[in-house]
Amino acid sequence: MSTRAAFDRGARHYDLMVALNPGYHAHLRRAAASLVDTLRGQPGPWRLLDLACGSGASTRALVDAAPPDTHIQGLDASPGMLSRARAKHWPASVTFAEATAGSLDTQAWQPGTHHGILSAYLFRNLTPAQRRDSLAEIQALLTPGGTLTVVEYSVRERFRAQLVWSIVSWLVIIPLGALLDRNPSLYTYLWRSVMEFDTPTQFMKQLHTAGFVDIATRSVPGWQHGILHLYMARKPQETA
């Protein structure tokens, strides 16, 4: 089963599954607030992109953090997830569309016009080539000086993080996926993709290679400390 098909199948119960994860929505709100804070003082209305928006939890975090006149575009490769997102109540300034990171038609999404881009739990689902292409697309879509905020798991640098992640995955997440969603393969994939994803140092190097500046990372508080990371990076200002 492809990754897209697995997310389509899991879309029906996805909101319930993530709601059982302590801190899930708080971490998204923290990431959205961090992105919006970098834009303070810039004239609005702003344009924000939620890349790999899933069922809309990260989109909701952006709506709550940004001024009311902010236009927010959610993109995702999974029709099932987008169907769940569109079924929720949104301001008129929020829209959704199907698109795949790494093969975006950047001209269709108005390059150079997005003040900020949030991407939560996307990059470990991409091949190295797709990651490179996706970062190039993000560079093209951002305004000069625009901000990229990434939320992603990484455990390879710390044995304790690998151990905690494996225990929680196999004793809690995967059994719940089998019980509530009858889709344990999606959550087994989640465990494996986190175990195999780049270290924070490696991912920051990719951001640097893609041309981003002011790159920084920090881990979240709580049980996911050392497991879940927030990355901030900026597209350089154009020079005269």
Side-chain angles (χ1 to χ4, degrees):
M1 183 184 297
S2 69
T3 303
R4 179 182 299 181
F7 278 102
D8 281 340
R9 179 179 171 184
R12 181 180 177 185
H13 296 100
Y14 192 78
D15 285 341
L16 173 59
M17 289 294 296
V18 299
L20 296 174
N21 177 352
Y24 182 88
H25 291 288
H27 298 326
L28 290 178
R29 290 193 296 269
R30 187 175 290 109
S34 294
L35 188 156
V36 167
D37 283 346
T38 69
L39 305 180
R40 303 292 183 191
Q42 293 193 32
W46 301 333
R47 299 189 72 224
L48 304 180
L49 183 65
D50 185 6
L51 186 59
C53 63
S55 61
S58 49
T59 314
R60 180 66 62 190
L62 285 174
V63 169
D64 291 344
D69 61 351
T70 303
H71 178 264
I72 300 172
Q73 173 76 63
L75 300 181
D76 201 272
S78 166
M81 288 291 188
L82 286 170
S83 177
R84 304 300 293 184
R86 290 184 176 118
K88 298 170 183 175
H89 178 72
W90 300 101
S93 57
V94 176
T95 55
F96 295 95
E98 184 177 340
T100 302
S103 57
L104 294 180
D105 178 0
T106 52
Q107 291 301 316
W109 303 112
Q110 299 180 294
T113 65
H114 295 80
H115 299 83
I117 295 178
L118 174 64
S119 182
Y121 310 109
L122 165 67
F123 284 96
R124 63 185 163 75
N125 297 310
L126 304 179
T127 67
Q130 289 171 330
R131 290 175 205 159
R132 182 185 64 246
D133 292 343
S134 181
L135 290 173
E137 292 163 357
I138 291 169
Q139 277 275 357
L141 292 171
L142 282 171
T143 60
T147 299
L148 167 64
T149 300
V150 174
V151 182
E152 191 53 276
Y153 295 107
S154 179
V155 299
R156 285 175 57 193
E157 274 187 340
R158 298 184 179 183
F159 174 75
R160 181 184 179 279
Q162 296 176 46
L163 180 63
V164 171
W165 174 247
S166 292
I167 291 172
V168 171
S169 293
W170 287 99
L171 295 185
V172 180
I173 298 172
I174 295 171
L176 279 175
L179 178 65
L180 299 178
D181 198 26
R182 298 183 181 179
N183 189 16
S185 61
L186 175 60
Y187 301 97
T188 303
Y189 164 77
L190 168 63
W191 166 76
R192 185 176 65 254
S193 67
V194 173
M195 294 292 287
E196 295 175 351
F197 187 59
D198 296 338
T199 68
T201 300
Q202 290 170 330
F203 186 63
M204 292 174 72
K205 183 177 180 180
Q206 292 174 51
L207 291 169
H208 175 76
T209 300
F212 289 93
V213 297
D214 298 337
I215 303 165
T217 187
R218 66 178 185 270
S219 188
V220 302
W223 78 268
Q224 293 188 88
H225 183 72
I227 296 173
L228 184 63
H229 305 267
L230 174 66
Y231 301 87
M232 304 288 294
R234 186 172 58 83
K235 179 178 177 177
Q237 293 283 356
E238 290 181 341
T239 56

